[in-house]
Amino acid sequence: MKTEIAYNIQPFTISIPDAVLSDLQQRLSDTRWMTPIKTTGWDYGVDPEYLQEFILYWKNTFDWRAQEKKLNRFKHFTVEVEDYSLHFIHEKGTGAVRIPILLLHGWPDSFYRFNKIIPMLTDPVDHQRDITFDVVVPSLPGFGFTKSLREVNQQQPMRHSASVLFNLMTEVLGYSQFVVAGGDGGSPLAQTLAIDHPEVLKAIYITDPGWHVQGVDKSTLSKKEKKYAEKGQKEFMQQGAYAMIQSTRPQTLAYSLNDSPVALASWILDRFYFWCDGPIEKSFTQDELLTNIMIYWSTQTIASSIRAYKMETVSPTLTAKDYVKVPTGLGLFPKDIGGIPPREFVERTVNVQHWTEFERGGHFTAWEEPELMAADMLKFFSTIKF
Amino acid sequence: MSAKQFQINIPESSMSDLQRRLKRTRWPDELNNTDWEYGTNLSYLKELTDYWQHEYDWRAQERKLNEWPHYKAIIDEQEIHFIHIKSKSPNALPIILTHGWPDSFLRFEKLIPFLTTPEAFGGTTSDSFDVVIPSLPGFAFSTLADSPGSFFNIHNLWATLMSDVLGYDKFVAHGGDWGSTITEHLARSHSNHVLGIHLTDVPFLHTFQKPNDPSESEKKYFEEIEQYQMKENAYAMIQGTRPHTLAAGLSDSPVGLAAWILEKFYTMSDCDGDVENSFTKDELLTNISLYWYTQTVPSSFTPYYDILHANAFTWIGEKVKDWTGSSSVPAGFAFFAKENSHPPREWAARFFNVQRWTTLPKGGHFGALEEPKLLANELREFFRRVR
């Protein structure tokens, strides 16, 4: 017999207090600009000119209340599950068939990663098969409007998050079967869910194989795989320092990021710039970039979000020896970190049943190319039998 | 060439601006029970910030610093700040001391009296030094050159400073951290002026050029270095690849800057888990304040950037090969107990004419500040041979 726990699901409206906004205005007005090594360009990291323009837009033009209103058009909820008060969006599909899907973001994005794709999944333009999705988008533990209620669990933190989210989908929302999609940190999290609950997860869709696959025995790599791994290593040396800091000394970095809006914007913009299928202005509007940054700033979750890198390094959930048996779809974007991996490389750790290489798009897949990704997800998940 | 006198005088407006920022600090949370494991500890940083706000007296520190004779000279279109303290002894040996990151000319503050007036500390006047302590370009009151790769020109500025500006034809040099790399370059490119050099580490650039015939202890050393880098080197990678991305925030948030610098003083010193075993709050904050007031965080990252760019790897690969065993300038080494790495002597002997090799029982990466007397004794003993 199953024990029934009564979950108290509460409707939630995003409403940042005025005091937070006025404090932010003050900080933005008081910005002490760095004396840059070079006044323009991205050679030394964030372009000082771009950053200054961006901060001035934040201060003078950006309208958080308007963005908040837009975010609140979705149905938001909170519910206590284990040691978290989870925030999530829950939007039901409009079609005869509604596949429950959990969408998992990464860093430095947020639930906002899926802002554009949600309606494309709940109410797709192409209704020919009448398949739609019941979409659930949580703020992951440590991120956004999800709050930790107790001392944070430090044992395999990602596995713990997976268990909390599994309970959200099954116990709280009552779905007996569901699928998951995610990228960046959302990919290994989706894989963990699939490994731990293969009877409930029918399929997963990921946009990268996850960092842990880098741990494969290098001596067994094919020529093509070796080339990919070497390219990745080289890119990591040029681009990976943020991850090194976040997985060794995240707390040291957190002080400036939580105290200075310029610090936070600079740290996050750097990733959006280098990981998009640029130029950055073409991939994201300033309003979009700022809305995401505001989620970190107003919830003061930058410290916990970057700390996750180290926590997962100290007590890893997945290694390259883990294997995902449930059918897995891969949607791969050319400007994602390290480029598109060889299929045999990905097949080492997941049961690849669907493989799409897109012609454009970068790391923030669902945000940058929502139409491409929505159509591909629909194509893959309609082949899965429930 | 001449130098003009200089006094440190931070404007009142900078001081009140700093106070305002400290007061409104928005603290992040911290993972439970992690002490300093995840980085700078929250409760200690709060304590230090509280002291910075309510007890620390910058003007008193400034007055103390201004008791040293400060100068600025224009060399290669760069304004170089330095302290120059002449010993009363007529046959004093001129020495140039070079600091690194995240310290400053303050690294040598406590060492000065031991070198200029050894007789006051149980030594003899024959061991006296004339002391020159410059601020690296882009640090504190020295300006940075416009051209990329300027890190590889600092030793030339130093040679000009010593011989042309101050008129010392023959001199010796000491350094640690970036200071040891610069001191090595100085010996190699200006051996006609440099009588001897003394270092507290083997410049780490050499590990980019590993030999084909490493000894067992060298192999062990390379492994240690690799492990150390995995654990501790992220700051150097971010400063070398994305200096602006980090510096934009450290220039706006004083607690952000304090945390970033403080972590190094904690992890790299022989403080045994309490940073105040090695440094006072005043010492820590004066060094941090120097970075804050002079707005030199971005420029202080340029040595890291220059190493990873400006064809530095080509430069290292080619030049260092030529250098192997090529320098005849006598070199002395002193390793403080908790220095970041302890290479075997044969490793140093590949690149230097090693004449003295000492392991000290105490101290860490900031040994000149932590154990000035021990270091002073090493410098006296070693440089006696070139007087």
Side-chain angles (χ1 to χ4, degrees):
Chain A
M1 215 178 80
K2 222 165 81 178
T3 320
E4 296 285 336
I5 306 171
Y7 288 99
N8 184 14
I9 304 175
Q10 291 290 327
F12 175 73
T13 305
I14 299 174
S15 174
I16 303 304
D18 284 333
V20 173
L21 299 182
S22 55
D23 172 76
L24 171 62
Q25 272 301 317
Q26 192 61 51
R27 284 168 199 268
L28 290 171
S29 305
D30 289 350
T31 299
R32 208 178 76 139
W33 299 105
M34 69 171 151
T35 309
I37 304 162
K38 202 177 142 199
T39 51
T40 180
W42 290 81
D43 301 348
Y44 290 81
V46 73
D47 174 0
E49 269 182 1
Y50 178 90
L51 183 66
Q52 196 152 356
E53 250 174 62
F54 187 83
I55 299 295
L56 289 177
Y57 182 85
W58 195 357
K59 183 169 79 86
N60 298 328
T61 313
F62 179 69
D63 181 351
W64 167 252
R65 291 296 180 213
Q67 296 302 321
E68 202 173 57
K69 213 164 150 189
K70 277 195 217 166
L71 293 176
N72 284 328
R73 78 192 186 280
F74 293 125
K75 293 183 192 71
H76 294 259
F77 302 92
T78 61
V79 63
E80 285 191 18
V81 181
E82 298 183 41
D83 43 0
Y84 285 96
S85 165
L86 273 182
H87 157 251
F88 63 100
I89 293 171
H90 189 198
E91 286 286 329
K92 290 191 174 154
T94 55
V97 179
R98 297 181 295 144
I99 304 172
I101 189 166
L102 178 67
L103 300 179
L104 302 175
H105 66 82
W107 186 92
D109 51 9
S110 57
F111 71 89
Y112 190 65
R113 181 186 184 101
F114 301 110
N115 183 54
K116 289 180 182 168
I117 209 172
I118 293 171
M120 297 177 191
L121 297 174
T122 54
D123 190 14
V125 181
D126 168 21
H127 262 286
Q128 52 175 284
R129 283 179 295 259
D130 212 20
I131 294 178
T132 64
F133 294 86
D134 275 7
V135 177
V136 179
V137 187
S139 289
L140 297 185
F143 288 80
F145 298 100
T146 285
K147 287 194 186 88
S148 169
L149 301 173
R150 285 185 275 288
E151 282 208 345
V152 173
N153 162 71
Q154 296 183 37
Q155 283 302 309
Q156 294 197 321
M158 192 167 66
R159 176 150 276 136
H160 184 63
S161 295
S163 140
V164 171
L165 295 170
F166 182 77
N167 286 347
L168 171 69
M169 291 302 279
T170 55
E171 305 275 322
V172 179
L173 300 177
Y175 293 118
S176 56
Q177 293 183 323
F178 66 97
V179 300
V180 188
D184 192 82
S187 166
L189 185 54
Q191 295 181 50
T192 305
L193 274 158
I195 288 168
D196 292 352
H197 303 284
E199 73 292 348
V200 173
L201 262 77
K202 300 306 287 183
I204 64 171
Y205 180 94
I206 51 182
T207 51
D208 57 76
W211 181 249
H212 65 287
V213 69
Q214 302 297 332
V216 296
D217 180 359
K218 293 281 188 302
S219 68
T220 64
L221 297 182
S222 71
K223 221 176 188 171
K224 215 168 145 193
E225 288 177 302
K226 230 174 234 158
K227 211 175 137 197
Y228 168 75
E230 275 161 20
K231 187 176 163 236
Q233 180 59 29
K234 204 174 151 200
E235 194 178 311
F236 184 76
M237 290 305 286
Q238 290 160 357
Q239 298 283 352
Y242 82 95
M244 289 173 70
I245 275 291
Q246 295 181 178
S247 54
T248 56
R249 297 277 188 261
Q251 189 66 27
T252 303
L253 176 66
Y255 295 101
S256 59
L257 302 191
N258 201 63
D259 186 44
S260 155
V262 183
L264 183 65
S266 172
W267 195 253
I268 291 183
L269 278 175
D270 186 272
R271 293 298 93 208
F272 276 86
Y273 176 85
F274 283 100
W275 286 343
C276 70
D277 192 357
I280 187 167
E281 300 86 351
K282 190 191 123 258
S283 297
F284 316 102
T285 66
Q286 284 182 318
D287 280 346
E288 287 172 359
L289 292 167
L290 279 167
T291 298
N292 181 58
I293 290 169
M294 278 298 288
I295 291 168
Y296 282 92
W297 179 261
S298 62
T299 60
Q300 303 204 43
T301 47
I302 191 63
S304 50
S305 75
I306 60 176
R307 183 186 300 151
Y309 281 69
K310 177 155 177 131
M311 290 171 70
E312 202 51 45
T313 309
V314 172
S315 179
T317 299
L318 293 185
T319 72
K321 288 195 178 104
D322 287 297
Y323 185 76
V324 175
K325 289 195 188 101
V326 310
T328 302
L330 268 296
L332 300 158
F333 294 81
K335 291 293 162 64
D336 203 341
I337 305 168
I340 293 178
R343 182 164 175 155
E344 63 259 41
F345 189 66
V346 180
E347 281 173 339
R348 289 167 180 269
T349 48
V350 295
N351 172 15
V352 178
Q353 292 295 320
H354 170 97
W355 184 271
T356 304
E357 297 184 11
F358 296 103
E359 279 177 9
R360 56 173 203 270
H363 183 62
F364 300 99
T365 55
W367 183 345
E368 204 177 355
E369 294 294 347
E371 288 97 349
L372 290 181
M373 186 164 154
D376 194 51
M377 283 165 70
L378 193 62
K379 193 171 153 200
F380 170 57
F381 286 124
S382 26
T383 65
I384 304 298
K385 286 207 171 64
F386 283 85
Chain B
M1 268 190 188
S2 68
K4 56 179 197 299
Q5 290 194 335
F6 168 73
Q7 288 261 296
I8 303 171
N9 184 13
I10 299 302
E12 203 61 44
S13 58
S14 303
M15 290 171 62
S16 54
D17 174 75
L18 170 64
Q19 283 303 322
R20 206 153 39 98
R21 285 168 198 273
L22 291 175
K23 198 175 160 195
R24 66 157 187 229
T25 299
R26 223 176 64 140
W27 295 104
D29 66 355
E30 186 180 50
L31 188 60
N32 34 289
N33 313 319
T34 45
D35 197 20
W36 286 72
E37 188 48 39
Y38 273 66
T40 298
N41 177 263
L42 178 60
S43 60
Y44 183 73
L45 188 59
K46 279 185 174 171
E47 184 186 320
L48 186 71
T49 304
D50 188 67
Y51 183 87
W52 203 357
Q53 268 185 277
H54 300 115
E55 292 178 65
Y56 178 75
D57 182 350
W58 167 259
R59 288 293 181 219
Q61 296 296 320
E62 200 177 57
R63 273 195 301 277
K64 232 176 83 186
L65 294 180
N66 281 330
E67 283 169 18
W68 306 119
H70 293 260
Y71 302 90
K72 281 183 174 181
I74 309 283
I75 307 173
D76 263 16
E77 295 171 5
Q78 281 161 272
E79 197 166 45
I80 299 300
H81 157 252
F82 61 97
I83 300 175
H84 181 205
I85 312 107
K86 281 190 155 175
S87 165
K88 287 192 183 102
S89 165
N91 48 9
L93 183 62
I95 186 168
I96 181 165
L97 307 174
T98 310
H99 68 83
W101 186 96
D103 50 12
S104 56
F105 66 89
L106 296 175
R107 180 187 185 101
F108 301 111
E109 186 189 14
K110 292 181 179 170
L111 189 64
I112 297 169
F114 290 104
L115 299 182
T116 52
T117 55
E119 67 278 11
F121 304 93
T124 59
T125 52
S126 61
D127 283 327
S128 302
F129 293 87
D130 279 0
V131 177
V132 179
I133 309 172
S135 291
L136 296 190
F139 286 67
F141 306 102
S142 289
T143 60
L144 186 69
D146 269 342
S147 49
S150 61
F151 176 74
F152 301 108
N153 188 43
I154 297 176
H155 58 283
N156 295 324
L157 305 180
W158 276 199
T160 305
L161 172 64
M162 290 301 274
S163 55
D164 296 352
V165 179
L166 301 175
Y168 295 125
D169 184 49
K170 303 282 181 198
F171 57 90
V172 298
H174 162 85
D177 196 89
W178 287 122
S180 78
T181 300
I182 293 161
T183 301
E184 177 184 358
H185 295 178
L186 186 61
R188 295 192 185 283
S189 302
H190 302 278
S191 58
N192 52 329
H193 293 298
V194 180
L195 297 172
I197 59 170
H198 185 270
L199 310 175
T200 47
D201 53 73
V202 175
F204 77 98
L205 290 181
H206 291 293
T207 57
F208 290 130
Q209 188 72 32
K210 295 204 175 59
N212 300 323
D213 57 342
S215 71
E216 282 309 309
S217 40
E218 282 178 322
K219 274 188 215 160
K220 203 172 140 248
Y221 168 66
F222 298 150
E223 279 164 26
E224 281 166 13
I225 290 260
E226 201 163 309
Q227 277 171 20
Y228 176 83
Q229 287 185 337
M230 291 293 287
K231 199 167 158 254
E232 301 288 355
N233 208 41
Y235 80 97
M237 290 302 293
I238 196 73
Q239 294 179 181
T241 58
R242 294 278 176 275
H244 281 166
T245 303
L246 176 65
L250 302 189
S251 300
D252 187 48
S253 163
V255 293
L257 177 65
W260 195 256
I261 291 181
L262 183 60
E263 182 209 288
K264 298 299 154 209
F265 280 83
Y266 176 88
T267 55
M268 292 180 172
S269 69
D270 186 11
C271 73
D272 195 26
D274 178 357
V275 70
E276 291 186 26
N277 283 335
S278 301
F279 315 98
T280 65
K281 285 193 175 83
D282 282 345
E283 286 167 2
L284 293 168
L285 287 173
T286 301
N287 183 59
I288 292 166
S289 300
L290 266 184
Y291 280 87
W292 176 262
Y293 285 137
T294 59
Q295 305 217 33
T296 46
V297 174
S299 50
S300 80
F301 291 167
T302 51
Y304 298 88
Y305 187 88
D306 283 349
I307 289 300
L308 293 183
H309 299 80
N311 292 322
F313 279 100
T314 318
W315 180 87
I316 292 158
E318 286 167 7
K319 292 279 185 192
V320 172
K321 219 181 284 176
D322 297 342
W323 284 0
T324 306
S326 69
S327 174
S328 57
V329 175
F333 289 85
F335 295 90
F336 289 95
K338 294 289 162 64
E339 183 50 86
N340 299 341
S341 70
H342 285 264
R345 182 170 178 156
E346 63 259 38
W347 173 244
R350 288 178 188 271
F351 318 106
F352 296 94
N353 172 13
V354 181
Q355 296 284 323
R356 185 178 173 88
W357 188 265
T358 313
T359 303
L360 299 167
K362 291 184 290 189
H365 186 65
F366 305 100
L369 261 181
E370 299 175 67
E371 300 293 342
K373 201 176 166 186
L374 286 182
L375 180 59
N377 188 54
E378 285 301 306
L379 294 174
R380 277 181 212 159
E381 293 283 336
F382 174 65
F383 286 124
R384 226 168 256 156
R385 74 188 60 212
V386 301
R387 280 176 188 269

